[in-house]
Structure formats: structure tokens, C-alpha cells
Amino acid sequence: YCLGSGLSWEPRSRAVEQVHLRCTEGSLEWMYPARALRVVLEPNLSSAQHTTVCIKPASDFQGASIYVERAGQLHLVVSEAEGARPHHVSCFSAHTRQRVALFLQASPQRDISRRTASFQYELLSNQSAAGPDFKKMALVEAMCRPCDNVELLLAICSSDFVVKGSIRNVSHDSENHMSQVEVSVQKVYRQKNRIFQQDEASGEWRGPIRTLLQCKVKKGGGVFLFTGNEHFGEAWLGCAPRFKDFLFIYWAARERGANPCEFQLD
């Protein structure tokens, strides 16, 4: 997380402030944007694998536009007008794998009213995630088809979250082409962040999982094993077999010595 203010700069300085961010995901908050800010993304862990960059502006993004530097030229990624769109995410391929340079240009303004240009970013390793919007990135997780046995066994090893539970409700957002599955959780095996939390009043564990509208998810009975990955603090659905089917597949693979990792069951 990086925080800065345009008010701290020398009034007569024409220099472009530079910020270096070395994580594969994070956020930046630029208060009272002034002149320009150059943000260099250069993760120091497995940087050669990360070839796609996704940026999600905050809902109150104001005061600047975001460009990406390519071959000495600036290409617009997020305009100030687009920044306020809910769920708006821009993804683009990185031409150089070692570092990506973003350029934030402050918008002209006459008053000193509070404006904040803040955004989250993620560097992705899967090239199929490259695309103009979040839907393309989400396709990596929301496959809209049942996973085969190999995909399922890999999912429980590598997913950001693995939870056992049932579907409480499903809501659809046609404007943003997304569906949200409200899950009543029986057990949290793994979660990267605290998306699945315990309700203080009822003591029940709950959490939302997003998927694509085109997957046509419906509310159904039974207990499932939900897996998937997190993007910008939201859980996106990957493999989600019925729990009894998962148990059969896991124990059969374990007897053959074909399970890629040990999974701690109940």
C-alpha cells in the first residue's frame, strides 16, 4: 500500500515524482493530485512470470488519468471519467516482463478541494487473462463447466480459498455481467483474506463468491466444496463440486498416489 499527496511537492518544481512498487499486487492512493506521478511496478519475486497487469480504480477516483508507458509513448488506460464506474477494471499485456511504468497525469483544477486518485493493481501470470476488461480476467476462474478430476485436485492445492458450504442465495448483475453466490460456510479450509467471516449475531460463517453471468449459476441444495482465487479483494469461483463427489475423487487419487498435495479433511 502506497500513500502520497501532491501538496508535499515544491510549488515551482516541474519534476515528475517517481514511486517504485515491488509487490505483485497492491494499491496506491494519491491525494490532491498535482502535475504527474510515475509509478513503476517491478516485483522482485518471479517477475518474469507476470505478463498481464490489471488496474481497478476506486469508486471515488478523481483528479487524474492513468497511462501506461510503451516504447516511449503514453497510452490511456483509465480516464478520470471512467474511474468512477463501479467494478471497472482495465487489463493490458506488459511488453516488458521485468517492469511496467504507469503515468498518472493530474487533471487541471482551480480550487484545492479534496480529490483522491487511488487504485488497486494486480500482476497476473496467466496470459489468457489479458483483455480489455475484468470479464476476461474472471474467465480464468469462472470456467462455466464442471472441472475434471485433475483440475479439481490442483484447485484444492493452489486456490486462494477452499471452503465447504451450501448456497444461501444467488443474485445477478446484468449490467456488469456478474453473478454473486452467497455461501453459508460449514468449514474454511483456506482463505487468503477475510472474505468469509463469522456473523456476530448468528455465529454462522458466510461469504460472497462472484462468477460470470453467462455461467447461469442457480440456487441449489446440497453441500459443495467451493474453490477459486481472489482479485481486488473479491472471491471468484473456480471448481465447485459437490462435497461427496470431491471426497470420492480425492480418496481414489490418494490410494493411487496421484494427489498433488495432502489436503486436511474434517
Side-chain angles (χ1 to χ4, degrees):
Y1 177 76
C2 181
L3 173 66
S5 172
L7 296 179
S8 62
W9 295 353
E10 291 293 332
R12 297 182 180 179
S13 173
R14 294 186 179 181
V16 175
E17 190 82 6
Q18 293 207 58
V19 176
H20 293 258
L21 302 179
R22 303 187 184 278
C23 297
T24 56
E25 60 182 87
S27 60
L28 180 142
E29 184 175 354
W30 189 23
M31 297 183 296
Y32 300 102
R35 293 183 291 281
L37 181 69
R38 188 171 185 261
V39 180
V40 182
L41 308 179
E42 44 184 5
N44 52 14
L45 294 175
S46 305
S47 59
Q49 297 179 4
H50 298 90
T51 58
T52 300
V53 181
C54 290
I55 295 174
K56 182 180 182 181
S59 58
D60 59 351
F61 184 96
Q62 282 184 311
S65 295
I66 305 176
Y67 299 80
V68 60
E69 291 184 8
R70 285 180 177 165
Q73 294 185 333
L74 297 178
H75 299 267
L76 182 64
V77 177
V78 178
S79 68
E80 183 176 9
E82 291 175 327
R85 289 168 51 190
H87 306 299
H88 177 68
V89 173
S90 298
C91 297
F92 55 89
S93 297
H95 284 198
T96 58
R97 298 186 177 186
Q98 289 74 26
R99 54 192 287 165
V100 175
L102 303 175
F103 191 85
L104 278 68
Q105 176 68 56
S107 304
Q109 60 188 61
R110 295 182 178 180
D111 57 63
I112 198 171
S113 59
R114 171 69 178 265
R115 291 177 174 83
T116 302
S118 59
F119 65 89
Q120 295 172 281
Y121 74 90
E122 287 190 11
L123 277 69
L124 305 178
S125 57
N126 194 320
Q127 290 186 352
S128 64
D133 53 33
F134 194 32
K135 289 181 289 182
K136 295 288 182 66
M137 187 175 74
L139 280 170
V140 178
E141 322 305 339
M143 294 177 286
C144 297
R145 62 173 176 79
C147 298
D148 62 31
N149 293 357
V150 174
E151 290 170 333
L152 172 57
L153 293 171
L154 288 174
I156 64 172
C157 301
S158 60
S159 293
D160 289 339
F161 66 89
V162 182
V163 298
K164 173 185 177 182
S166 56
I167 299 175
R168 290 175 51 88
N169 188 41
V170 178
S171 57
H172 304 288
D173 181 353
S174 57
E175 182 178 352
N176 292 296
H177 307 281
M178 289 185 284
S179 297
Q180 181 162 296
V181 182
E182 297 291 339
V183 176
S184 177
V185 178
Q186 296 181 13
K187 184 175 180 63
V188 177
Y189 293 99
R190 182 193 314 132
Q191 64 172 326
K192 185 177 179 181
N193 295 304
R194 291 181 54 81
I195 290 178
F196 303 95
Q197 299 188 28
Q198 189 175 26
D199 183 78
E200 294 182 0
S202 65
E204 182 184 20
W205 282 78
R206 302 175 182 175
I209 302 177
R210 292 179 178 272
T211 187
L212 295 181
L213 186 66
Q214 68 194 53
C215 294
K216 299 179 180 179
V217 175
K218 298 179 180 179
K219 183 179 179 180
V223 179
F224 298 84
L225 188 72
F226 298 96
T227 72
N229 288 316
E230 295 181 22
H231 295 297
F232 302 107
E234 298 173 339
W236 283 84
L237 185 64
C239 301
R242 291 190 177 274
F243 191 75
K244 61 180 182 180
D245 296 334
F246 156 70
L247 288 179
F248 179 82
I249 294 168
Y250 178 76
W251 287 117
R254 190 175 184 185
E255 288 181 5
R256 301 193 311 271
N259 51 321
C261 68
E262 288 293 324
F263 186 74
Q264 187 65 42
L265 290 167
D266 298 338

